[in-house]
Amino acid sequence: MRKRYLAGILGMCAAVICTGCSQPQDASANETPSVRVMTMQLDVGLAPDLQEMATLFADDVARVSGGHLMIQIVPGLPDAPAVQEGRTDIALLTTPQMAEADRVFSMFSLPFLYDSNRHMNVALNSEPMREQLEKVLEGKGIFPLLALYDGSAHLVTSGKELWAPADFAETSVALRSDSAEKIAVFEAMGANVLPYSQESVVSMLGQEMEILPEDWRDADKEVVVDAVEVAAGQEEELYQQTQAITFVSSYHSISPLWLVMGRELQEGLSAWERAVLQEGCAGLAARFDDARTAAEQQLRDGVAAHGFNVIEIERDSICAWLYEENEKNTTYMPPDYFNPYFYRIIQDYGA
């Protein structure tokens, strides 16, 4: 068990909610406060619920500020350079996009780093982590406002229980090919990995598949798929399986989203404006948490209703084997962007 887990904190947490938010603190009683309009560029391919949450975030900021602070949402294809170059004031970026600004952000998507959505929220939005990320991005034109949980896959097996690294040996696992590091981690634990680009691999459970060699010329061997990834929204495919099912609550593929703004703009905000933005961020974090938790709870409820065996993976032992016990683990070395100090902050906030 980890220490200092701050239960009940959503997303950004310990929000600074000013009792004086109804009027800018730097405006006199007889002075009409000026209006600051900021642009928030949203990816045109963003899921509809994320677009709606971004709109509600803008509405919150306008309401709390009494119309003094406005966020104008515009469609686009935001990335780290868009923020750095001032083409947008605020953006919601993926972890790979944040890695364009600094490679250390890639480590926040490494497999098995987090116990749950709550763990990710609290750890990445904790004061120690925020201080370090602000230093990392200093001079790079980006200021981090909030890390957001955007869901995770779990594991489903045809009866086999996966608890610790040794349990993955010779287990044939179908994985989405959305992360090279995820595939490397499963292979390091001894699994036969079958990577696929499609959104869902649930239907492959129990099927006989070919594992292709790296040169792709001839089939290496045929295996029966023992385990697959499953995510919220894929319940119906799971229920169609006829064999014994074990649901492994693993949270192994969390990749945060990041709400960021231009550094120069952030430094030019008044203390009151920053407080308004922080309150808006707290509302956005709560909506994300509610939406993703509800979707995953539906998955869990369905699993329970169908009588599947459910286990909680020993995430601590897997994480330690991958990222701490390198003198014992000769099959996996963390990538060069792995930061032991950031890793320790994350683990200190675990359950």
Side-chain angles (χ1 to χ4, degrees):
M1 298 293 287
R2 302 288 186 180
K3 297 180 180 179
R4 301 194 309 160
Y5 180 73
L6 306 183
I9 297 181
L10 291 176
M12 181 181 181
C13 51
V16 176
I17 300 178
C18 299
T19 57
C21 277
S22 59
Q23 178 177 313
Q25 295 178 354
D26 53 0
S28 68
N30 297 322
E31 181 182 351
T32 302
S34 59
V35 174
R36 186 192 295 271
V37 179
M38 301 177 292
T39 59
M40 180 176 181
Q41 196 175 93
L42 284 186
D43 193 313
V44 292
L46 210 59
D49 68 327
L50 297 188
Q51 295 185 35
E52 181 181 357
M53 283 189 269
T55 299
L56 291 172
F57 165 65
D59 290 345
D60 283 348
V61 169
R63 174 182 52 80
V64 173
S65 69
H68 168 74
L69 204 56
M70 306 292 290
I71 297 176
Q72 179 184 8
I73 295 179
V74 295
L77 294 171
D79 54 12
V83 181
Q84 292 169 312
E85 297 165 9
R87 287 182 274 120
T88 183
D89 296 320
I90 301 174
L92 189 61
L93 303 181
T94 65
T95 290
Q97 287 173 325
M98 288 299 293
E100 295 176 351
D102 194 286
R103 293 187 69 228
V104 75
F105 277 87
S106 293
M107 77 160 286
F108 299 121
S109 291
L110 288 174
F112 298 105
L113 274 188
Y114 312 99
D115 292 312
S116 65
N117 57 317
R118 187 65 59 98
H119 179 191
M120 190 227 80
N121 278 334
V122 174
L124 297 191
N125 293 300
S126 66
E127 194 62 31
M129 182 64 78
R130 287 185 56 78
E131 289 177 358
Q132 293 303 313
L133 293 182
E134 287 176 21
K135 290 179 182 178
V136 164
L137 294 171
E138 190 172 2
K140 297 183 178 181
I142 295 179
F143 184 85
L145 291 171
L146 184 65
L148 292 159
Y149 174 73
D150 195 33
S152 176
H154 298 274
L155 296 171
V156 170
T157 79
S158 52
K160 184 174 183 179
E161 295 186 353
L162 301 175
W163 299 90
D167 298 326
F168 288 82
E170 295 305 314
T171 299
S172 298
V173 186
L175 298 175
R176 289 186 57 213
S177 56
D178 53 353
S179 166
E181 204 60 35
K182 176 180 66 177
I183 293 171
V185 161
F186 277 78
E187 289 179 336
M189 292 190 291
N192 298 314
V193 177
L194 298 93
Y196 296 95
S197 59
Q198 56 259 51
E199 187 69 23
S200 174
V201 294
V202 174
S203 63
M204 296 176 188
L205 186 65
Q207 301 298 307
E208 191 171 89
M209 299 287 187
E210 292 179 342
I211 295 182
L212 297 177
E214 291 184 2
D215 59 20
W216 292 87
R217 286 181 297 190
D218 298 301
D220 184 18
K221 60 180 178 179
E222 292 187 348
V223 297
V224 174
V225 176
D226 303 306
V228 297
E229 291 183 298
V230 64
Q234 297 172 351
E235 297 92 302
E236 293 303 321
E237 293 178 78
L238 186 58
Y239 304 155
Q240 294 170 11
Q241 302 299 313
T242 57
Q243 66 267 53
I245 295 289
T246 293
F247 179 88
V248 185
S249 182
S250 58
Y251 286 100
H252 65 276
S253 64
I254 292 176
S255 185
L257 291 176
W258 301 87
L259 185 69
V260 300
M261 73 184 306
R263 168 78 67 163
E264 185 176 349
L265 173 61
Q266 191 275 338
E267 291 176 348
L269 297 177
S270 68
W272 176 82
E273 288 172 321
R274 293 177 188 177
V276 169
L277 269 181
Q278 193 167 12
E279 187 167 350
C281 286
L284 181 61
R287 290 189 186 98
F288 254 86
D289 193 78
D290 288 347
R292 297 299 175 258
T293 300
E296 292 183 351
Q297 189 59 50
Q298 182 174 324
L299 171 62
R300 292 175 182 277
D301 290 345
V303 165
H306 282 73
F308 297 158
N309 181 31
V310 179
I311 66 172
E312 299 281 340
I313 204 165
E314 293 178 358
R315 205 273 312 174
D316 279 7
S317 66
I318 294 176
C319 191
W321 185 82
L322 289 170
Y323 306 118
E324 299 177 33
E325 301 173 5
N326 301 120
E327 68 281 358
K328 300 177 184 178
N329 173 7
T330 59
T331 58
Y332 179 77
M333 284 293 293
D336 59 2
Y337 51 74
F338 178 81
N339 184 306
Y341 182 64
F342 287 174
Y343 168 80
R344 182 45 51 198
I345 293 176
I346 293 171
Q347 301 315 304
D348 281 350
Y349 282 92

